[in-house]
Amino acid sequence: MPTELIVTHANPAVPIWNHFLLTQWEATVEQRSAGSPSGQAQPVRVGLAGFKIAVTDGTAWLRVVIKAGLVLNGTSYPLLLIQQEFTVAADGAVAPTRWRKGPPADRLGLQKGIPALHPLLRLSGNVLALDVSFVDITDLYVALHGGSAWFRAMNFLHGTDRTVRILASLGGHPLVWYVTVPATCTSLPAVKPAIMIMPADYGAIYYENNLKGIQSPLHGTSVVTADNNLQSGLEILARILTEPVSDARFPQLLPDYVALRKTFKGNPPALPGPLHHFRGVLSYAPDGDPVPQYWDVPLGFERAIHDQKYILMVPLMNGGDGGVLRSPGLDRLTTNAIQAIYTHGATLNYDTLDVAKPVVMAYSQAGGNAFTAAANNLDGIRGLILFEVVYTNEYPKDATGHTLALGKDVIPKLLKQGKKVVVIGRWRERPRSFLPDGKRDGITVLPDDANYYLLDYPLPAGKPLSAAHPVIQHRYSRLVDGKHDIALDEILGSSDPRTVDSPTIKNELAIDAVIENYRKAGMSNEAIIRRVFSDKYLPDQPGAFYPHNLILAGGQTFDAKTRTYRGFIHEALTAMG
């Protein structure tokens, strides 16, 4: 009979035993002889390489309990709890029998016997290895940043039933991962993850891989100055997730949202805007000609993942550092993250859980990270969804090195394996920018051929507004048809004093005054649109990027009855299956 059970970590490269988040370790073992109804849990010292359990003669059953977390500002945050039971044979061989599922603060948990071994453990002979690459830091993160205006706005505006968990990568950057589980996935026996990689200039912050990095105010507080616009992590998450507010929901949400906004503190341009900015209809700022606020349109990923039953994973990038995302084993990494959520709570509650290989998604300059991740994980991903990504055929001019993979080298290999690739963007006029070697063979492209006129800017050449794509007509409607805008009626004409927001009223009256002057000058709808949406918004450069933004925030399927549209992300995930 072996004299000890060795408890270690499955991946020595992940320093869990002395990780800055896991400073408080507790381990106990309870041993029982055959026929004994109970035993006494005994503490075991945890060291830098794990710990060892001395198995006493006659032991027929044992239970190992492993806890870890940290104490911050006098508050204890349990982050890891693994409880595993074994039988011990006469020859000393140990066999797992059952484990307990539940949050780290719950010592009872839910007893599980299938599978017999805890999903975050590996057993080989007398070596028991923790396979832990993530811990759930939601409680810690909310304690630090839950007062963020963006976090509160996101939770208020949600259009679907979903749960957001916040994980920390123990293996390095990206340190923080936002994981959104739609209600449609909660009770599934198998789930599909999709990773959305954002670029350094839109969707990343700069933070250290340590506790100070998690405490950084940049997680919750955006920074807007005359020459800088740095979105906080929670602003990006709010913009990615939030479904554009529909006409039907707008009057329902407005009174409480007006009250919520009045509690926000900080620099107004860095805070969530008025409710009508969270629609698919564009809002405007008065500055001579109205300035379209197209970056305010939310992306609506929550609806897509709800309908297509995907778990969305958004790593909060440290600048452009791809870190563990780019390493081999991405499928194991994402599985480990989701198993951390599954084993440590009720967010995922089916008896057993299988995790599919991930879909990798990216926007703009994040293409280099996405292609490198795919190159190192050709067998470990299901496909790519690419929103006008750079690095498709050549390195950008400002690239400091040529170490990242290019799409032209990766995409054909994925297609040869039968993997799916979706390219969303101006693929027709810029094939060399967004298609490998300019070829679309085997690739799903969006907008599709029938809807490509959606990208005609600002309108189809020489044609009236009625010839524009329905999604585009919807986007322009406040500008040319404000009298039928339900949101405008609520802002300017509601009798409910709870909806009164003086700065918003002043703004919209100023926009109306400009539009009235356009009308007095005899300008048609088309002339007004071309005046406001001038060529200055067309280039891919700061202050413009209109088409580049439309690729991320727009869609091609419009419901005229509800005046809502499905984003390109919805169509892309549909194509992935």
Side-chain angles (χ1 to χ4, degrees):
M1 182 175 186
T3 58
E4 61 185 14
L5 180 66
I6 301 171
V7 181
T8 183
H9 192 247
N11 185 358
V14 179
I16 69 165
W17 304 112
N18 61 346
H19 195 276
F20 63 86
L21 285 172
L22 304 176
T23 59
Q24 306 288 317
W25 282 92
E26 294 180 22
T28 62
V29 59
E30 179 184 350
Q31 305 187 47
R32 301 178 192 172
S33 58
S36 176
S38 63
Q40 183 68 38
Q42 299 294 330
V44 182
R45 180 180 174 276
V46 179
L48 294 179
F51 58 94
K52 297 178 180 180
I53 297 171
V55 182
T56 59
D57 288 341
T59 296
W61 176 96
L62 63 84
R63 174 168 55 207
V64 179
V65 179
I66 305 169
K67 292 180 60 178
L70 83 160
V71 175
L72 181 64
N73 298 329
T75 300
S76 177
Y77 295 96
L79 302 178
L80 179 69
L81 174 61
I82 295 177
Q83 302 184 74
Q84 178 68 53
E85 298 177 13
F86 302 88
T87 57
V88 183
D91 63 358
V94 295
T97 58
R98 58 189 183 183
W99 54 282
R100 292 188 178 272
K101 167 178 161 54
D106 181 4
R107 291 298 296 263
L108 293 178
L110 176 66
Q111 185 171 285
K112 306 286 289 184
I114 302 175
L117 186 65
H118 193 291
L120 300 181
L121 293 176
R122 302 291 177 263
L123 179 65
S124 177
N126 71 327
V127 177
L128 181 65
L130 278 68
D131 188 4
V132 179
S133 297
F134 291 88
V135 290
D136 189 326
I137 61 167
T138 305
D139 290 347
L140 169 64
Y141 199 85
V142 171
L144 292 170
H145 309 296
S148 159
W150 285 102
F151 186 71
R152 296 163 64 204
M154 177 186 75
N155 288 334
F156 178 84
L157 294 172
H158 71 90
T160 62
D161 185 5
R162 77 290 193 280
T163 299
V164 177
R165 304 303 298 180
I166 299 144
L167 305 185
S169 163
L170 303 180
H173 275 309
L175 172 58
V176 170
W177 291 54
Y178 303 121
V179 182
T180 303
V181 182
T184 50
C185 290
T186 297
S187 300
L188 294 180
V191 295
K192 301 175 294 186
I195 307 168
M196 182 63 186
I197 310 174
M198 298 299 286
D201 61 351
Y202 184 69
I205 65 173
Y206 290 88
Y207 65 120
E208 301 173 56
N209 181 33
N210 53 32
L211 187 57
K212 183 179 178 182
I214 292 178
Q215 293 173 301
S216 168
L218 293 178
H219 289 275
T221 304
S222 300
V223 177
V224 177
T225 63
D227 56 358
N228 186 32
N229 186 353
L230 179 61
Q231 301 82 18
S232 66
L234 288 170
E235 176 183 348
I236 285 300
L237 180 64
R239 294 198 181 282
I240 289 174
L241 281 184
T242 303
E243 180 181 25
V245 176
S246 66
D247 288 351
R249 293 185 70 215
F250 191 90
Q252 301 168 6
L253 295 175
L254 184 60
D256 288 338
Y257 185 73
V258 169
L260 178 66
R261 281 193 75 222
K262 290 177 180 177
T263 69
F264 295 162
K265 306 295 183 182
N267 180 21
L271 298 173
L275 184 61
H276 67 292
H277 286 229
F278 288 90
R279 300 190 298 161
V281 177
L282 294 179
S283 57
Y284 302 85
D287 184 17
D289 291 323
V291 179
Q293 304 297 292
Y294 44 88
W295 286 102
D296 284 356
V297 176
L299 309 185
F301 278 42
E302 66 172 330
R303 174 59 59 186
I305 63 172
H306 177 276
D307 291 354
Q308 297 304 314
K309 300 179 181 178
Y310 271 82
I311 292 178
L312 177 65
M313 310 179 75
V314 182
L316 179 57
M317 304 300 289
N318 174 45
D321 181 4
V324 296
L325 276 171
R326 300 198 302 239
S327 301
L330 184 59
D331 57 334
R332 295 191 300 274
L333 189 74
T334 53
T335 295
N336 194 268
I338 292 174
Q339 291 286 12
I341 295 173
Y342 171 67
T343 57
H344 283 72
T347 302
L348 297 163
N349 58 32
Y350 196 78
D351 284 346
T352 59
L353 185 68
D354 290 325
V355 182
K357 295 176 181 179
V359 171
V360 175
M361 310 185 293
Y363 176 53
S364 192
Q365 292 185 356
N369 279 325
F371 291 134
T372 306
N376 290 329
N377 294 276
L378 290 173
D379 296 325
I381 66 172
R382 293 179 57 229
L384 293 173
I385 296 176
L386 308 169
F387 295 85
E388 282 207 346
V389 298
V390 187
Y391 290 89
T392 300
N393 289 299
E394 59 186 10
Y395 293 95
K397 294 179 181 179
D398 59 354
T400 56
H402 291 182
T403 59
L404 300 179
L406 296 178
K408 68 181 181 65
D409 300 319
V410 177
I411 292 175
K413 295 177 182 177
L414 291 171
L415 295 174
K416 188 175 181 180
Q417 290 185 357
K419 308 290 178 65
K420 296 180 180 179
V421 176
V422 179
V423 169
I424 307 166
R426 290 164 284 180
W427 53 267
R428 181 174 288 169
E429 65 262 38
R430 299 187 182 185
R432 291 287 308 173
S433 294
F434 306 123
L435 297 171
D437 292 324
K439 301 173 183 177
R440 62 178 281 191
D441 298 347
I443 296 173
T444 299
V445 292
L446 294 170
D448 58 25
D449 290 289
N451 289 283
Y452 199 82
Y453 72 107
L454 180 146
L455 298 180
D456 290 343
Y457 179 85
L459 293 167
K463 295 183 179 180
L465 174 60
S466 59
H469 193 281
V471 170
I472 299 303
Q473 294 184 49
H474 180 62
R475 284 169 70 88
Y476 294 157
S477 60
R478 188 271 179 262
L479 187 65
V480 297
D481 193 24
K483 64 183 179 181
H484 293 124
D485 190 328
I486 289 176
L488 205 58
D489 288 344
E490 293 292 327
I491 293 169
L492 298 179
S494 174
S495 60
D496 187 345
R498 297 177 303 159
T499 66
V500 174
D501 180 11
S502 298
T504 300
I505 292 172
K506 180 179 179 181
N507 184 94
E508 296 311 304
L509 289 175
I511 298 299
D512 275 353
V514 175
I515 295 172
E516 184 178 355
N517 287 334
Y518 290 158
R519 297 298 189 192
K520 289 179 178 178
M523 295 177 67
S524 65
N525 288 343
E526 293 77 13
I528 292 173
I529 290 169
R530 290 191 169 93
R531 170 75 173 264
V532 173
F533 291 87
S534 65
D535 286 348
K536 70 180 181 180
Y537 298 118
L538 196 55
D540 289 337
Q541 63 186 33
F545 282 116
Y546 178 89
H548 194 51
N549 167 269
L550 179 59
I551 292 306
L552 190 61
Q556 66 178 31
T557 303
F558 187 75
D559 185 333
K561 184 177 181 180
T562 61
R563 284 171 44 88
T564 60
Y565 61 90
R566 294 190 316 194
F568 288 123
I569 178 61
H570 201 295
E571 313 257 356
L573 290 178
T574 301
M576 284 289 163

